[in-house]
Amino acid sequence: MLIIQKNSYEEISTLAAKIIAQKIKNKPNLVLGLATGSTPLGLYKALINMHKNEGLDFSKITTFNLDEYIGLPQTHNQSYYYFMHENFFNHINISKRLINIPDGMSEKHDIACNQYEDKIRHAGGIDFQILGIGSNGHIAFNEPGSSLNSRTRVKPLSKKTIKDNSRFFNSIDEVPTKSITMGIGTIMSSQEILLIANGLNKAEIIKSCIEGPISAMCPASILQMHRKVTVLLDKDAASKLTLEIES
Ligand code: GLP
């Protein structure tokens, strides 16, 4: 694992965007795994600016989002479909047919999950996966206790995640209780992974993820087994680490 610490959220967002821009320049048809949540918002903003000001070309990339709530239509302002279009896709020259997001409204979820795995395989696998981390150590919606070898499937959300994510809804009762999520095995099959985290509320879980034992109780800890992971942290998120860190 390469751990990089920067002073601020702005700095980690800019550096993450630079890393991704370079990947796209090296491979214009990059297969990019994308995350939602508040953490990657700064990164998406920086990439949009690079598109507008420097002509960064997204026209050939294929994207796969990590997860989606079950039961929210694409038009719901908290669906990840809506989030991704609002905060990223509508502002860049991505080809709409190369965007992939799990369908939280499908009638047969199991089939939809297998098809999602097939699509990833047909695209040649994910070259570069962006990840955030939940305060309970989840990656995508792989909650504590998830199989470390899992593939895309339906997962119930933990009470902690429902509470954390209720800040985006009018009330906690509106938060969906289930999701479709890439599995931990799916994520681990990516060629390269970039995990970003900021803020003091992530410090404890970042310590467990990087310095703790590998355990299904902290799903992000499996990243210790991946051969090419970069963890990009602001000062606060890195504050509980005992490792010496590059900055
Ligand atoms: C959400 C998403 C995750 C994300 C995490 C952290 O529930 N499913 O992919 O990494 O929670 O969110 P935030 O970045 O808002 O802290």
Side-chain angles (χ1 to χ4, degrees):
M1 270 184 171
L2 172 64
I3 321 287
I4 301 176
Q5 183 195 307
K6 293 283 166 198
N7 283 325
S8 66
Y9 176 66
E10 285 66 34
E11 281 183 51
I12 58 173
S13 300
T14 310
L15 179 55
K18 277 189 186 154
I19 294 171
I20 292 160
Q22 198 52 53
K23 297 280 168 200
I24 296 173
K25 283 176 195 160
N26 292 347
K27 186 178 178 190
N29 63 344
L30 190 79
V31 181
L32 185 60
L34 296 174
T36 52
S38 46
T39 311
L41 280 174
L43 151 68
Y44 294 147
K45 248 193 198 152
L47 285 172
I48 292 167
N49 285 337
M50 285 178 175
H51 170 63
K52 295 205 164 133
N53 303 326
E54 299 160 30
L56 181 62
D57 181 15
F58 293 92
S59 64
K60 295 191 180 66
I61 69 164
T62 296
T63 62
F64 285 94
N65 262 81
L66 285 168
D67 48 9
E68 179 58 286
Y69 290 113
I70 286 186
L72 295 191
Q74 293 178 347
T75 49
H76 191 289
N77 65 5
Q78 290 309 323
S79 75
Y80 286 164
Y81 180 96
Y82 189 96
F83 174 101
M84 288 308 304
H85 284 77
E86 197 69 5
N87 293 301
F88 194 35
F89 298 146
N90 289 347
H91 311 283
I92 57 171
N93 66 333
I94 191 162
S95 165
K96 302 279 175 210
R97 72 189 169 83
L98 299 179
I99 293 172
N100 298 282
I101 302 175
D103 179 5
M105 295 296 284
S106 73
E107 285 180 1
K108 296 196 169 152
H109 293 307
D110 290 350
I111 296 176
C113 291
N114 291 337
Q115 285 172 343
Y116 204 65
E117 285 285 326
D118 288 344
K119 271 190 177 176
I120 294 174
R121 242 191 322 275
H122 286 142
I126 294 171
D127 293 311
F128 193 86
Q129 177 67 55
I130 300 163
L131 287 182
I133 183 170
S135 62
N136 62 358
H138 75 217
I139 45 176
F141 272 133
N142 294 285
E143 300 284 25
S146 292
S147 157
L148 296 177
N149 237 338
S150 47
R151 309 303 298 195
T152 303
R153 69 216 183 291
V154 172
K155 279 297 282 181
L157 304 188
S158 68
K159 283 194 182 131
K160 176 88 174 90
T161 297
I162 291 175
K163 187 163 174 283
D164 282 355
N165 290 5
S166 66
R167 70 190 193 277
F168 300 115
F169 292 80
N170 294 326
S171 88
I172 196 161
D173 303 327
E174 289 182 17
V175 185
T177 54
K178 283 186 191 165
S179 68
I180 290 188
T181 180
M182 271 189 210
I184 297 177
T186 321
I187 294 168
M188 289 294 283
S189 301
S190 313
Q191 292 297 323
E192 192 170 349
I193 296 175
L194 174 68
L195 184 142
I196 49 181
N198 67 294
L200 271 182
N201 63 327
K202 296 285 170 73
E204 197 62 57
I205 201 66
I206 281 293
K207 183 175 170 57
S208 309
C209 161
I210 296 172
E211 297 181 354
I214 295 171
S215 159
M217 290 312 286
C218 177
S221 63
I222 191 67
L223 298 176
Q224 294 172 33
M225 295 287 287
H226 194 280
R227 46 190 196 291
K228 212 164 182 203
V229 178
T230 302
V231 182
L232 194 44
L233 305 168
D234 75 347
K235 254 190 191 160
D236 287 342
S239 60
K240 297 219 160 113
L241 292 176
T242 55
L243 276 176
E244 272 182 40
I245 309 171
E246 188 182 317
S247 57

